[in-house]
Amino acid sequence: MATFSTVMIADILSWLPTKTLFRFKCVSKPWSSLVGDSDFVKLHLHNSFKANAKTKLVLDGRTEDDEYKTYSIDFDSLANLEELSRPFSIAKFGVSSRIFGSCNGLLAVYHDEAGFALWNPSTRTCHHLPKLTIGDVFDCDYENVLGFGYDATGNDYKVVQMSASGKSVMIYSLKANSWRRIKDCPYQISYHVTQDGVFSNGSLHWVGDEEDEHGNGRLIFGLDLKVEEFHQVPESDISNRNFGYRSVGVLGGNLCVFREYDDKDDVILWVMKEYGVKESWTEVAALSREEWWQRGYFYTRAIACSRRGGRLLLEDGARPRQPTWFNLEKKTREILHVPGAPKHFAAMIYDPSLVSPVPIHQ
């Protein structure tokens, strides 16, 4: 009977779905050790992206009628609805929490009173972050601004909290399992945009303004998670400066943003794409201003593009939320309805993985 080397077994297993591998941990101790090995986890994550494995959509219930429940569903088919046992359940903590970030299979969750948690729904593991001190929390002069991403160079997952004015910037390192304060942000978050940062190309991004400006969203800025420094993102369409950026998002791994012009009837969606070693903004969609305001899209960010590329999934800025499909050719919209799921929810792309949310030394 032919035998397979450990390397060959690892290569074969690395192409399997996360749930299947998680069940395989019960087969034997060697397989259990393999599935939990950090090098294997990286290989599996790499192969999952390479094979374009099934992407999930997380549905984060946002109303009391829906009991603030959370579900996942296959993004392409909108099938296989599954309720998730999330951190900070309403039954235990009394107040709802929210998911504010997704990266490499980990979800970042925030609760006003209990703090932060990193959570892998696929492996059902969770890590509650150390609480910030009273001084760190109350030194903020506005609503908290949050973000979650990955420092590839340091192989470290990081959570960011700061005030909307750019003060009291705190970064949590999963590798160190601790918070620390860095220099204040030189920009301020615009009051009318979605506050949570989006992760793309090694940085977290927000829409903001210079410190002496007030709330129109004149720039996009980022926080490089490797060097932990802020920077301004080059503008799109610099020939027309009568505009205001709205919420940033990510489409296919690329940063995107809605831009509203004072002298145009449409709100334009721009995507930053790489051309060789350069990056350039490309216009991909236009929504009429009337349509934008009618559905509360003033706060909208793009969530995802359909597999065939003909539709965009947009986050609804109205309260409570109902994400919407926008048909790029017909310029029509359709509310995303998932049988069995909450009627009102925030949606977020999620790629199942074996990545652990728990610090290595724990």
Side-chain angles (χ1 to χ4, degrees), residues 303-325:
I303 300 172
C305 187
S306 63
R307 177 74 72 179
R308 295 182 179 179
R311 298 190 300 169
L312 292 174
L313 185 61
L314 305 178
E315 183 177 74
D316 180 3
R319 299 295 187 271
R321 293 178 176 174
Q322 288 184 289
T324 301
W325 283 112

Side-chain angles (χ1 to χ4, degrees), residues 215-231:
N216 198 37
R218 293 292 186 179
L219 58 85
I220 304 168
F221 70 91
L223 172 62
D224 187 319
L225 293 183
K226 174 185 175 182
V227 297
E228 298 181 351
E229 293 181 354
F230 290 95
H231 61 274

Side-chain angles (χ1 to χ4, degrees), residues 33-207:
S33 298
L34 175 63
V35 172
D37 180 74
S38 59
D39 290 332
F40 179 80
V41 170
K42 290 180 183 178
L43 177 63
H44 177 260
L45 183 65
H46 172 78
N47 288 345
S48 295
F49 287 131
K50 187 176 180 179
N52 203 14
K54 283 187 177 181
T55 295
K56 296 282 188 178
L57 193 65
V58 172
L59 315 178
D60 191 16
R62 289 296 178 88
T63 66
E64 188 174 354
D65 291 341
D66 298 320
E67 298 179 334
Y68 303 101
K69 291 183 178 179
T70 304
Y71 297 81
S72 71
I73 194 168
D74 294 343
F75 176 66
D76 291 331
S77 64
L78 296 182
N80 300 317
L81 182 70
E82 178 185 4
E83 184 177 350
L84 304 176
S85 180
R86 62 178 295 160
F88 310 127
S89 67
I90 190 72
K92 183 175 180 180
F93 288 87
V95 180
S96 66
S97 58
R98 65 184 177 89
I99 300 170
F100 66 89
S102 173
C103 182
N104 293 347
L106 297 185
L107 298 177
V109 188
Y110 175 71
H111 188 279
D112 286 338
E113 298 174 0
F116 296 86
L118 296 180
W119 171 39
N120 186 327
S122 298
T123 61
R124 301 176 184 177
T125 51
C126 175
H127 169 60
H128 293 266
L129 278 57
K131 280 197 172 185
L132 289 165
T133 66
I134 297 297
D136 294 328
V137 175
F138 289 98
D139 198 18
C140 296
D141 50 3
Y142 292 110
E143 179 181 352
N144 282 345
V145 174
L146 309 176
F148 172 58
Y150 178 60
D151 168 17
T153 302
N155 189 27
D156 195 8
Y157 291 88
K158 296 181 178 181
V159 173
V160 175
Q161 174 185 281
M162 63 180 173
S163 69
S165 64
K167 310 298 182 183
S168 303
V169 185
M170 302 295 299
I171 290 188
Y172 168 81
S173 160
L174 179 62
K175 183 179 287 187
N177 191 28
S178 63
W179 293 90
R180 60 191 180 83
R181 187 167 179 171
I182 64 170
K183 290 182 179 179
D184 288 348
C185 176
Y187 313 105
Q188 59 186 12
I189 304 293
S190 301
Y191 69 89
H192 56 254
V193 301
T194 301
Q195 301 278 12
D196 298 333
V198 297
F199 179 71
S200 174
N201 197 26
S203 295
L204 285 165
H205 298 87
W206 294 268
V207 167

